[in-house]
Amino acid sequence: AETATNYMPETIDLESLRHAAQRCRACDLCHHATQTVFGDGPANARIVLVGEQPGDREDIEGHPFVGPAGQLLNDALSQAGIDRSQIYITNIVKHFKFTEQETTQTDVRGKRRIHQKPNSREIYACRPWLEAELSVIKPDSLVCLGSTPAQALFGRDFRISKDRGTFIATDWCERTMATWHPAAILRMPDEHRQAQMRDQLVADLSSL
Ligand code: URA
Ligand code: SF4
């Protein structure tokens, strides 16, 4: 199967990567999404955060973590004393994957786009972009947000609920860890549990 490797630019820096990724057609997700949402942040960032894939807002705006999950992430980062503008934030898959659902709300017309998890083929196809980003930045700490990036980097047996918050060496970074995905925290119906997950996210980010 085709991968993003076929779309790599000759010069590997963040600007040329971002530009080249706009034209990536290595999997079918590009046909439905608005645009490639590449990572954001400076090349000298010491921390890289990797999410799953852009959501509805990210797809429209073209930047990672700018919707509701991004708002929670921003609050957690500032509580952890981390300046978002100094770190690099990206996703393991760079196009939004969704199904369309007729809205049932009478005050909203049209269709709602429901996020879908990327499958292993899409993750495999897109992974060269993340690897290229990491090869340029060479961060001191790499953080997977949620089980999709965590299982892609640590293997399918990785369990966020059991293994979050501890550093493990990977091919991409000596200090790689996984923590809760902000969207998973937002979806948690139990308020007490939600507050606990939020505190754990802040604690994990504080340990970077
Ligand atoms: N969720 C993600 O995993 N990434 C984003 O960029 C936004 C929401
Ligand atoms: Fe390319 Fe990734 Fe988009 Fe698939 S999701 S088309 S691999 S950028």
Side-chain angles (χ1 to χ4, degrees), residues 14-15 17-19 21-22 36-43 48-51 54 62-65 84 87-95 126 129-130 133-134 137:
L14 292 180
E15 219 30 66
L17 286 169
R18 178 174 295 114
H19 194 253
Q22 292 303 326
T36 304
V37 179
F38 207 67
D40 242 0
V48 172
L49 305 188
V50 187
H63 296 282
F65 285 100
R84 176 166 171 160
I87 66 172
Y88 190 85
I89 304 185
T90 191
N91 286 296
I92 190 127
V93 169
K94 281 151 171 79
H95 271 107
C126 207
W129 293 123
L130 176 67
E133 289 170 295
L134 293 173
I137 299 166

Coordinates of all heavy atoms in Angstrom, one line a residue, residues 14-15 17-19 21-22 36-43 48-51 54 62-65 84 87-95 126 129-130 133-134 137:
L14 N 10.7 21.8 8.6 CA 9.2 21.8 8.9 C 8.4 22.5 7.9 O 7.3 22.1 7.5 CB 9.0 22.4 10.3 CG 9.5 21.6 11.5 CD1 9.2 22.4 12.8 CD2 8.9 20.2 11.5
E15 N 9.0 23.6 7.3 CA 8.3 24.3 6.3 C 8.0 23.5 5.0 O 6.9 23.5 4.5 CB 9.0 25.6 6.0 CG 8.2 26.8 5.8 CD 6.8 26.8 6.6 OE1 6.9 26.9 7.8 OE2 5.8 26.7 5.9
L17 N 8.1 20.3 4.8 CA 7.3 19.1 5.1 C 5.8 19.5 5.1 O 4.9 18.9 4.6 CB 7.7 18.5 6.5 CG 8.9 17.7 6.6 CD1 9.3 17.4 8.0 CD2 8.8 16.4 5.8
R18 N 5.5 20.7 5.8 CA 4.2 21.1 5.9 C 3.6 21.4 4.5 O 2.5 21.0 4.2 CB 4.1 22.4 6.7 CG 2.7 23.0 6.9 CD 2.7 24.2 7.8 NE 3.0 23.8 9.2 CZ 4.1 24.2 9.9 NH1 5.0 25.0 9.3 NH2 4.3 23.8 11.1
H19 N 4.4 22.0 3.7 CA 4.0 22.3 2.3 C 3.7 21.0 1.5 O 2.7 20.9 0.9 CB 5.1 23.1 1.6 CG 4.7 23.8 0.4 ND1 5.1 23.3 -0.8 CD2 3.8 24.8 0.2 CE1 4.6 24.1 -1.8 NE2 3.8 25.0 -1.2
A21 N 3.0 18.0 2.7 CA 1.9 17.2 3.2 C 0.6 17.7 2.7 O -0.4 16.9 2.7 CB 2.0 17.3 4.8
Q22 N 0.5 19.0 2.3 CA -0.7 19.5 1.7 C -1.2 18.7 0.5 O -2.3 18.6 0.2 CB -0.6 21.0 1.4 CG -0.5 21.9 2.6 CD -1.7 21.8 3.6 OE1 -2.8 21.5 3.2 NE2 -1.3 21.9 4.9
T36 N -5.0 19.0 4.8 CA -4.1 18.4 5.7 C -3.8 19.3 6.9 O -3.6 20.5 6.7 CB -2.7 18.2 5.0 OG1 -2.9 17.5 3.8 CG2 -1.7 17.5 5.9
V37 N -3.9 18.8 8.1 CA -3.6 19.5 9.3 C -2.2 19.1 9.8 O -2.1 18.0 10.4 CB -4.7 19.4 10.4 CG1 -4.3 20.1 11.6 CG2 -6.1 19.8 9.8
F38 N -1.2 19.8 9.5 CA 0.1 19.5 9.9 C 0.4 20.0 11.3 O -0.4 20.7 11.9 CB 1.1 20.1 8.9 CG 2.4 19.3 8.8 CD1 2.4 18.0 8.2 CD2 3.6 19.8 9.2 CE1 3.6 17.2 8.1 CE2 4.8 19.0 9.1 CZ 4.8 17.8 8.6
G39 N 1.5 19.5 11.9 CA 1.9 20.0 13.2 C 2.2 21.5 13.3 O 2.4 22.1 12.2
D40 N 2.1 22.0 14.5 CA 2.3 23.4 14.7 C 3.4 23.6 15.8 O 3.3 22.9 16.8 CB 1.0 24.0 15.3 CG 0.4 25.0 14.4 OD1 1.0 25.3 13.4 OD2 -0.7 25.5 14.8
G41 N 4.3 24.5 15.6 CA 5.2 24.8 16.7 C 6.6 25.0 16.1 O 6.9 24.7 14.9
P42 N 7.6 25.5 17.0 CA 8.9 25.8 16.5 C 9.8 24.5 16.4 O 9.6 23.5 17.1 CB 9.5 26.7 17.6 CG 8.7 26.3 18.8 CD 7.4 25.8 18.4
A43 N 10.8 24.6 15.5 CA 11.7 23.4 15.2 C 12.6 23.2 16.4 O 13.1 22.1 16.6 CB 12.5 23.7 14.0
V48 N 7.3 17.4 22.2 CA 6.3 17.2 21.1 C 5.1 16.4 21.7 O 5.3 15.4 22.4 CB 7.0 16.4 20.0 CG1 5.9 16.0 19.0 CG2 8.1 17.2 19.3
L49 N 3.9 16.9 21.4 CA 2.7 16.2 21.8 C 2.1 15.7 20.5 O 2.0 16.4 19.5 CB 1.7 17.2 22.4 CG 2.0 18.0 23.6 CD1 0.8 18.7 24.2 CD2 2.7 17.1 24.7
V50 N 1.7 14.4 20.5 CA 1.1 13.7 19.4 C -0.4 13.3 19.7 O -0.6 12.4 20.6 CB 1.9 12.5 18.9 CG1 1.3 11.9 17.6 CG2 3.3 12.8 18.8
G51 N -1.3 13.9 19.0 CA -2.7 13.5 19.2 C -3.1 12.4 18.2 O -2.2 11.8 17.5
P54 N -6.9 15.3 13.3 CA -7.7 16.6 13.5 C -9.2 16.3 13.6 O -9.7 15.3 13.1 CB -7.4 17.3 12.2 CG -6.8 16.4 11.3 CD -6.2 15.3 12.1
G62 N -7.3 24.3 10.0 CA -6.0 23.9 9.5 C -4.9 23.8 10.5 O -3.7 23.7 10.2
H63 N -5.3 23.8 11.8 CA -4.3 23.7 12.9 C -4.8 22.7 13.9 O -6.0 22.6 14.1 CB -4.1 25.1 13.6 CG -3.5 26.1 12.7 ND1 -2.2 26.2 12.3 CD2 -4.1 27.1 12.0 CE1 -2.0 27.2 11.5 NE2 -3.2 27.8 11.2
P64 N -3.8 22.0 14.5 CA -4.2 21.0 15.5 C -4.7 21.5 16.8 O -4.2 22.6 17.2 CB -2.8 20.2 15.7 CG -1.8 21.2 15.4 CD -2.3 22.1 14.4
F65 N -5.6 20.8 17.5 CA -6.1 21.1 18.8 C -6.5 22.6 19.0 O -6.0 23.3 19.8 CB -5.0 20.8 19.9 CG -4.9 19.3 20.1 CD1 -3.9 18.5 19.5 CD2 -5.9 18.6 20.9 CE1 -3.9 17.1 19.7 CE2 -5.8 17.3 21.1 CZ -4.8 16.5 20.5
R84 N 2.4 26.9 25.4 CA 2.1 26.2 24.2 C 2.9 26.7 23.0 O 3.2 25.9 22.1 CB 0.5 26.3 23.9 CG 0.1 25.7 22.6 CD -1.4 25.5 22.4 NE -1.6 25.0 21.0 CZ -2.7 24.4 20.6 NH1 -3.7 24.1 21.5 NH2 -2.9 24.1 19.4
I87 N 6.2 24.6 22.4 CA 6.2 23.2 22.1 C 5.6 22.9 20.7 O 5.1 23.8 20.1 CB 5.4 22.4 23.2 CG1 3.9 22.7 23.2 CG2 6.0 22.7 24.6 CD1 3.1 21.8 24.1
Y88 N 5.8 21.7 20.3 CA 5.3 21.3 19.0 C 4.1 20.3 19.2 O 4.2 19.3 19.9 CB 6.4 20.6 18.2 CG 6.1 20.4 16.7 CD1 6.3 21.4 15.8 CD2 5.6 19.2 16.3 CE1 6.0 21.2 14.5 CE2 5.3 19.0 14.9 CZ 5.5 20.0 14.0 OH 5.2 19.8 12.7
I89 N 3.0 20.6 18.5 CA 1.8 19.8 18.7 C 1.4 19.3 17.3 O 1.3 20.0 16.3 CB 0.6 20.6 19.3 CG1 1.1 21.2 20.6 CG2 -0.6 19.7 19.5 CD1 0.0 21.9 21.4
T90 N 1.2 17.9 17.2 CA 0.8 17.3 15.9 C -0.1 16.2 16.2 O -0.6 15.9 17.3 CB 2.1 17.0 15.1 OG1 1.8 16.6 13.8 CG2 2.9 15.8 15.8
N91 N -0.4 15.4 15.1 CA -1.3 14.3 15.2 C -0.6 13.1 14.4 O 0.1 13.3 13.5 CB -2.6 14.6 14.6 CG -3.5 15.5 15.5 OD1 -3.9 15.1 16.6 ND2 -3.8 16.7 15.0
I92 N -1.0 11.9 14.8 CA -0.5 10.7 14.1 C -1.1 10.6 12.7 O -0.4 10.0 11.8 CB -0.6 9.4 15.0 CG1 0.2 8.3 14.4 CG2 -2.0 9.0 15.2 CD1 1.2 7.7 15.3
V93 N -2.3 11.0 12.5 CA -2.9 11.0 11.2 C -3.3 12.5 10.9 O -3.9 13.2 11.8 CB -4.2 10.1 11.2 CG1 -5.0 10.3 9.9 CG2 -3.7 8.6 11.3
K94 N -3.1 12.9 9.7 CA -3.1 14.4 9.4 C -4.4 14.8 8.6 O -4.5 16.0 8.3 CB -1.8 14.8 8.8 CG -0.8 15.0 9.9 CD 0.6 14.8 9.6 CE 1.6 15.2 10.7 NZ 1.7 14.2 11.7
H95 N -5.3 13.9 8.3 CA -6.6 14.3 7.8 C -7.7 13.9 8.7 O -7.6 12.8 9.3 CB -6.8 13.7 6.4 CG -6.2 14.5 5.3 ND1 -5.1 14.1 4.6 CD2 -6.7 15.7 4.7 CE1 -4.8 15.1 3.6 NE2 -5.8 16.0 3.7
C126 N 0.3 7.3 7.1 CA 0.5 8.7 7.5 C 1.8 8.8 8.4 O 2.4 9.9 8.5 CB -0.7 9.3 8.3 SG -0.8 11.1 8.1
W129 N 5.1 11.1 8.0 CA 5.0 12.6 8.3 C 5.5 12.8 9.8 O 6.3 13.7 10.1 CB 3.6 13.2 8.1 CG 3.2 13.2 6.7 CD1 2.1 12.6 6.2 CD2 3.9 13.8 5.6 NE1 2.0 12.9 4.8 CE2 3.1 13.6 4.4 CE3 5.1 14.6 5.5 CZ2 3.5 14.1 3.2 CZ3 5.4 15.1 4.2 CH2 4.6 14.8 3.1
L130 N 4.9 12.0 10.7 CA 5.3 12.2 12.1 C 6.8 11.9 12.3 O 7.5 12.6 13.0 CB 4.5 11.2 13.0 CG 4.9 11.3 14.5 CD1 4.6 12.6 15.1 CD2 4.2 10.1 15.3
E133 N 8.7 14.8 11.1 CA 8.7 15.9 12.1 C 9.6 15.6 13.2 O 10.4 16.5 13.7 CB 7.2 16.0 12.6 CG 6.2 16.6 11.6 CD 4.8 16.5 12.1 OE1 4.3 15.3 12.3 OE2 4.1 17.5 12.3
L134 N 9.6 14.4 13.7 CA 10.5 14.1 14.9 C 12.0 14.1 14.5 O 12.8 14.4 15.3 CB 10.1 12.7 15.5 CG 8.7 12.7 16.1 CD1 8.3 11.2 16.5 CD2 8.6 13.6 17.3
I137 N 12.9 17.8 14.7 CA 12.9 18.4 16.0 C 13.8 17.7 17.1 O 14.4 18.3 17.9 CB 11.4 18.5 16.5 CG1 10.6 19.3 15.5 CG2 11.3 19.0 17.9 CD1 9.1 19.1 15.7

